Structure formats: structure tokens, C-alpha cells
Amino acid sequence: MAAEPARAFRVLLPADSSVPFRDRVGPLLAEAIATTDLLNYARRLWQTPHNRIRFLLELPRSRRWLEVAITAEYAAGTPVTLIEGEIAELPHRLTTREIEVLTLVAAGHSNPAIADALFTSPRTVSTQVETVRGKLGAISRTAAGVLAVQQGWLRLPMPVSSNLLGTLDIAGLMREEDPHAATGTPQGRPAAAPKRPHAIRLGLVHPQHGPAQDDGNQSRRGALLAISEVNRDGGIRGRPLEPVVVDADIYSTAGIDATFTELRAREVHAALMSYVFDEATAFRNAARLGVPVLHTMTSSRHLHAVRSDPERYRALFQCVPPESNYGPGLLRFLGELEPHVLNTRSGSPKLSIRFIETTADSGQIADDNTLDQLRNREWTVQSVDSLLLEADIVEDLAADILVDPPTVLVVSEFLPSVLATLLLKLHEAKCPSVIYTIYAPSVPEFVTEMGEAAEGVVWATVSGTYSDPFGAEFRASYLEAYGDAPGLSQAGLAYDMVHIIASAWQRSTDPSDIAGTLDALRSTRYRGVNGSYNFASGLQSTIAYPEETNDPSLGNAQLIFQVQDGAHRCLGPDPYTETEFRWPVQIQSATHTGEAAQ
């Protein structure tokens, strides 16, 4: 029986591709070498700021396609290039011309510019872009381009000038070498690489003790998973990421000061941190640290700080939209809830709402605009109570709520154990209110503590892990690494933040070049498991969909979930909706009992 032809190859060669090795080459690699510019691509990788580039390579002789990855590595201190290739069909049944169009879309070109580059008409390109978008299931052309970059669905060679590929990684592979560069020395790289390249230290600032420790554990795990992926793919130009885990006291001013003192002592190149309960102290310390600090504080204070003093806070980046979006998200939900109230309760039901607001920074929902819109929509606001939820007040608070239960009870509390304490009391008393809260149910601890009492709870997060292929792949990797599933916010968010800073370092000259890294961060366009990130607004903060942009490919969706049958199911916004609102059984029973008594 004849041996099956090889469908893949994997070969390591010196960075300058100068050592002959054709006698060790199989037929598939031999065809790639003979009919394409593969070896030149491998050599030019070392002239770019990237350590790994993926692309689609056409084999003109056999009319086949290869998925190719080339990686810059070090072996015993010597720069080498790993070339990996595998026979593949074009993704999603795209044609050769559609791959070319997609590549130019990813480079940011308009339809007329693409038509000019490919010698065709804008109308033809417009049709092709829509066809590509449909085949990929992409919401917009921007989303299609981002997907192409992240999946390596970019064609080489392209029948256009490399200048038209803009900032795409593959552009550097098509450009000819600088004729003035020293022969045999990779341009922009040292002639002799260190045997053990210095690690890049990345601070991971998350609580490991106290009420938020489970949330901190989610963040740390998500970040470590991403770090392992970056290092597996060659690190940052051969330099590995080294996690510097800092147990953050997020509750006190002294604790936050001590956290940043440790970061300075550990000489981190950047720091990633989750929320704290004293934002002003954290921002002041971050400004003094002098390296990029990416955080998840949903903070309007962040926007004010960067706007008022952009130079002082130039290294501060908020990877979530601010809390000011929680109010509009609530209004969106209430608009969808109103028909359920009218269909479930007889007569002219009164629409009432009560707010229990946290005293912590960045957790408020009932701002003036939200309250004004509620009154205009004939909702009666019973009260807005700003208080610190503690065990000694929960019983009295629950009793007060039950005197006149609102249609909707809004509780903004970040800590799942604290939130569960109040909601369990209301559940025991069969409170007939729809419970709407924010963020805390994203932590697995919430459903664990609530048990069946979590059923029907509605909650929102301005940064949640999507149920799309990106999110599914992340959840599978997390489950494999840690043995349990991630929560629905911080784990994916920390995972994305590592990839965002890693991407910035890949595009800058060196992690020690703070200005270059910050410029790279500001030009970020990254599609992660928690949505799309860009800091183009000038405020170094991401934006919310649909509250701040109507393009889901440009922002983080404020996802609204309901616990149904023990699972979190997304109620919206489209295109992420999984199910419709389900009127909780307990509330239905209470409503029907009340109607019978009348």
C-alpha cells in the first residue's frame, strides 16, 4: 500500500535561512520552497517586530493552500525560525479573490481603494465584502477584518504592493530587505542573542484573601492561562512573560499603597489589576508607578482623571466601559420587561422600582438621567438607598422591602457573598419583585451560595464573556487547565488584558520603551473573549455596546443575563441574545395568589 502523502510539515532553521537542508525536506515542504517565497518570509520575520505570524499560502503548482505559522525563537542562544505548514481548505468556503478582499479589509481599506488595488469595480468589491461577511457570520466589515487577523486568514503573497497592507503583520514579510543591512544579521535584532533572554515581568494585582478572593482567583487564573499561551507561542520576541502575582488588599488606602510599593520593588514592566474600593488612591499610585497599568474598575473617575490631566495619567488604561452605562442597560431591560408585567398582572399594574446602591466607587446605577427617564416612562421610584450591606442590617432591610415590594428591586453590590445574604432573605419571604443586580452573579460563588434561590435573578455586566466561538474556546481551555469552568466576567477579562499588553509589546520596540508601548496600546484593536477593545476615544477606556456605539465590533457588550434552570442565559443585547426573559415561578405564584385574594 502506498504511503499517504504528507499533509503537514514542521522544520527549524537558522534565522538567516543560510544552511542548506533540501536533503532533509519532504515533498510538501519542497513544493512550498520551490514555488513560493516561504524561505524569504521566514528570514524577513526577523526584520519585523513580531515573533509569530500566521497566514494562508497558495501552492500554485498543485493549486492547494497551506495554513502557515512562522515563529522567531532562540535555541542555545542562536536565533532560529520555526516554520509550520498544513494543507487546508480556505476557511468558510471563501474563494481566492474573497481572501484577497478580506486581507485588504483587514488592512483598513475602503471598497473603492480595494477596487483600485485589485483592478476591479467598487460595486464588485461591495458585493464581495458582503459575501465574505455573510460566510464568516461577521456583524460588520470591521468584525470580519479583526477575525481574519486573529485567525491568520490573510493571503500571502498578495497581488498588491506591501505598502497597501498597512500595519498588518504580513506586510513586513512581503517587503524586501534593507540593502544597507549587514549580511547575515537579522535587521533590528542583535547579532548574538542571550542564552537566557530576560523575562518580561507582568504584575497581576488581584485579591487572594477577603470577600473578593474568589473573584481574584478568577482573574489570576485567566491571566496565567493567557501568559502560558503567549510563552508557548514564543513569548515577546523570544522573551518569556513572567507573572508577578501580588496579593492586593483592595479594601483600604494603606493596602492599595502597599500593593504599589511591592510592584515598584519587583520592577514590573506593566501591571494588570481588577477593581479596588478606593479608586483615587489606586489612580494616584498608578500614575507614580511609571509603567502601563491596565485595570477593570468600570470607572467614570478614570475618564475624568485622563481628561483633566492626560500627561499624568498617560499610562492608565481602563479595559471596561464605565459604570455610567449600567443605568441605560437597566432602562433597556425595563423596556423589555414592561410587556411581561402587563401580560402577567390584571388591571392597570403599577410599575415601581427601588434601588439599593453600594457605597463603593463605580457601582451606582440610579444617576439623575436614569431617574428622569424612569419618571418619564411612568415608573414610580420608591427610594434610592445608598448603604453598606452588612449582616446586622440585612434582616431589617429585607423586612422594609417586603412592606411594599417593588415591581423591580435593583441591588448594586459587587461582592457575591454579601449580595446573596440579602437575596436569600427575600427569597425565604417569597418577595414578589424581579431582582436586578450587577456583576456579582458573574462569580461562580454566587450561584453556589444561592442554590435554587438564584433562579430568576437578572443581572448585568459591562464586560462579560461571550457565548461565541471565542468564548467557547476560552472556556474549554480554562476548564482543561483548572478543572472547573470560569465565571462570566473577570476570568475572560484578565485573559484578554494579557493578550492586549502582549500585543502592544510585540508592536513596540521594547517593553522598557514606555512611550512606544503606550502608543501601541492607544492604537489597540483587539477582539477578545469579552468583546472588542479599542482605546481610540482619547480617554484610554473601552466603550459599551449598544449604549456608546451601535457597532458591536467596536465595543464591549453590556450583557444582561437571567439565571434559568441553574444556568446564566443571555437576554441581550442582540446579536448575543440566547433566550427570552422568564417570569420567575415564585413571583408568578405570589402574583396569582394576590389576584385570587382580590
Side-chain angles (χ1 to χ4, degrees):
M1 179 182 296
E4 183 177 341
R7 295 185 56 82
F9 58 80
R10 188 176 190 272
V11 64
L12 199 66
L13 64 152
D16 61 5
S17 305
S18 61
V19 177
F21 56 97
R22 289 182 181 275
D23 58 333
R24 294 183 280 117
V25 173
L28 182 60
L29 179 56
E31 180 183 355
I33 292 171
T35 63
T36 73
D37 213 18
L38 181 60
L39 290 187
N40 282 333
Y41 295 155
R43 184 173 63 253
R44 291 170 192 160
L45 174 66
W46 286 86
Q47 300 172 6
T48 76
H50 312 292
N51 79 302
R52 190 169 193 264
I53 297 179
R54 294 186 299 158
F55 53 90
L56 295 169
L57 181 70
E58 185 178 17
L59 299 176
R61 179 184 298 166
S62 59
R63 297 184 178 179
R64 295 182 295 177
W65 287 86
L66 291 174
E67 289 182 347
V68 175
I70 53 176
T71 307
E73 297 183 349
Y74 290 86
T78 301
V80 295
T81 309
L82 173 65
I83 308 178
E84 299 169 282
E86 183 176 3
I87 293 292
E89 299 292 332
L90 288 180
H92 296 270
R93 300 181 180 274
L94 294 175
T95 66
T96 298
R97 176 45 63 97
E98 287 167 351
I99 282 290
E100 292 171 353
V101 169
L102 178 59
T103 301
L104 293 174
V105 165
H109 292 296
S110 65
N111 289 351
I114 295 172
D116 187 56
L118 297 179
F119 302 99
T120 186
S121 71
R123 177 177 295 181
T124 298
V125 171
S126 177
T127 300
Q128 290 166 337
V129 169
E130 288 306 302
T131 300
V132 168
R133 206 166 60 79
K135 288 183 177 181
L136 299 185
I139 298 166
S140 66
R141 63 186 293 129
T142 301
V146 171
L147 189 62
V149 169
Q150 292 190 280
Q151 298 297 322
W153 296 339
L154 305 171
R155 183 187 179 182
L156 278 180
M158 279 289 289
V160 299
S161 165
S162 62
N163 293 331
L164 289 177
L165 299 181
T167 60
L168 290 179
D169 294 354
I170 62 170
L173 303 186
M174 283 186 60
R175 295 189 182 111
E176 293 295 333
E177 294 87 348
D178 182 349
H180 302 293
T183 303
T185 301
Q187 182 181 344
R189 302 290 179 105
K195 288 187 178 181
R196 292 186 180 181
H198 295 299
I200 301 168
R201 294 178 298 281
L202 180 58
L204 305 181
V205 184
H206 308 116
Q208 298 178 43
H209 300 87
Q213 63 179 323
D214 285 350
D215 215 6
N217 188 47
Q218 290 282 313
S219 298
R220 186 174 62 259
R221 284 179 165 187
L224 291 175
L225 179 61
I227 288 172
S228 69
E229 292 178 357
V230 171
N231 288 339
R232 179 197 65 201
D233 291 339
I236 308 299
R237 304 184 200 171
R239 296 174 63 182
L241 293 185
E242 176 188 322
V244 177
V245 178
V246 177
D247 182 5
D249 177 358
I250 65 174
Y251 311 100
S252 69
T253 298
I256 295 169
D257 287 338
T259 293
F260 280 88
T261 297
E262 182 174 353
L263 289 172
R264 279 190 292 275
R266 303 286 290 275
E267 296 182 337
V268 298
H269 292 87
L272 312 182
M273 63 186 301
S274 49
Y275 53 86
V276 300
F277 287 81
D278 182 354
E279 294 176 359
T281 298
F283 293 165
R284 183 181 67 249
N285 276 282
R288 292 173 51 205
L289 188 61
V291 301
V293 175
L294 282 65
H295 70 84
T296 68
M297 289 186 224
T298 64
S299 175
S300 292
R301 188 191 298 270
H302 167 102
L303 305 185
H304 175 74
V306 175
R307 185 186 293 114
S308 62
D309 197 343
E311 178 57 29
R312 181 183 184 189
Y313 296 105
R314 65 193 183 100
L316 191 65
F317 290 80
Q318 181 164 271
C319 295
V320 289
E323 86 283 354
S324 55
N325 291 285
Y326 276 128
L330 170 66
L331 294 170
R332 170 161 48 93
F333 168 73
L334 295 179
E336 297 169 358
L337 177 68
E338 288 166 8
H340 290 274
V341 177
L342 297 174
N343 293 334
T344 307
R345 298 181 178 179
S346 60
S348 300
K350 180 180 70 172
L351 300 174
S352 59
I353 190 167
R354 179 171 178 174
F355 293 87
I356 308 295
E357 298 268 65
T358 178
T359 57
D361 286 335
S362 300
Q364 289 68 44
I365 299 178
D367 56 23
D368 291 342
N369 179 63
T370 300
L371 295 176
D372 287 343
Q373 292 203 47
L374 284 170
R375 295 184 184 103
N376 292 337
R377 290 162 57 166
E378 299 183 351
W379 280 80
T380 299
V381 179
Q382 291 184 348
S383 64
V384 179
D385 305 307
S386 180
L387 47 85
L388 182 63
L389 282 179
E390 294 181 331
D392 59 349
I393 72 165
V394 165
E395 190 163 342
D396 289 342
L397 178 60
D400 184 61
I401 292 169
L402 290 165
V403 170
D404 184 15
T407 310
V408 176
L409 176 66
V410 180
V411 186
S412 58
E413 170 58 55
F414 288 122
L415 299 176
S417 59
V418 175
L419 177 65
T421 303
L422 173 62
L423 298 192
L424 283 170
K425 287 286 183 185
L426 295 174
H427 180 78
E428 291 170 5
K430 295 183 167 44
C431 177
S433 300
V434 173
I435 305 297
Y436 185 98
T437 186
I438 60 171
Y439 179 72
S442 71
V443 188
E445 175 190 6
F446 176 79
V447 172
T448 300
E449 291 210 12
M450 290 287 292
E452 294 181 357
E455 193 70 16
V457 170
V458 179
W459 62 279
T461 177
V462 290
S463 180
T465 303
Y466 292 2
S467 297
D468 63 2
F470 290 96
E473 183 178 354
F474 163 71
R475 282 191 289 272
S477 298
Y478 188 101
L479 179 62
E480 181 179 359
Y482 302 114
D484 53 19
L488 284 174
S489 183
Q490 287 290 333
L493 187 50
Y495 176 88
D496 285 345
M497 289 164 70
V498 169
H499 284 293
I500 288 169
I501 187 64
S503 173
W505 280 330
Q506 294 281 26
R507 290 180 285 127
S508 61
T509 57
D510 186 273
S512 298
D513 173 19
I514 302 302
T517 300
L518 297 180
D519 285 343
L521 279 170
R522 293 187 189 99
S523 64
T524 290
R525 188 179 69 174
Y526 179 76
R527 172 56 159 88
V529 302
N530 277 34
S532 296
Y533 301 80
N534 70 85
F535 303 108
S537 65
L539 296 177
Q540 294 165 194
S541 177
T542 58
I543 57 177
Y545 166 78
E547 284 72 35
E548 296 176 303
T549 176
N550 58 9
D551 186 343
S553 69
L554 297 179
N556 297 109
Q558 180 177 181
L559 301 176
I560 299 177
F561 294 90
Q562 185 179 34
V563 181
Q564 296 183 0
D565 302 321
H568 301 283
R569 303 294 304 281
C570 187
L571 303 181
D574 290 336
Y576 310 110
T577 304
E578 297 177 299
T579 190
E580 294 184 346
F581 172 79
R582 180 189 296 175
W583 199 262
V585 173
Q586 174 176 298
I587 299 177
Q588 288 186 39
S589 301
T591 301
H592 295 324
T593 300
E595 290 173 357
Q598 293 174 3

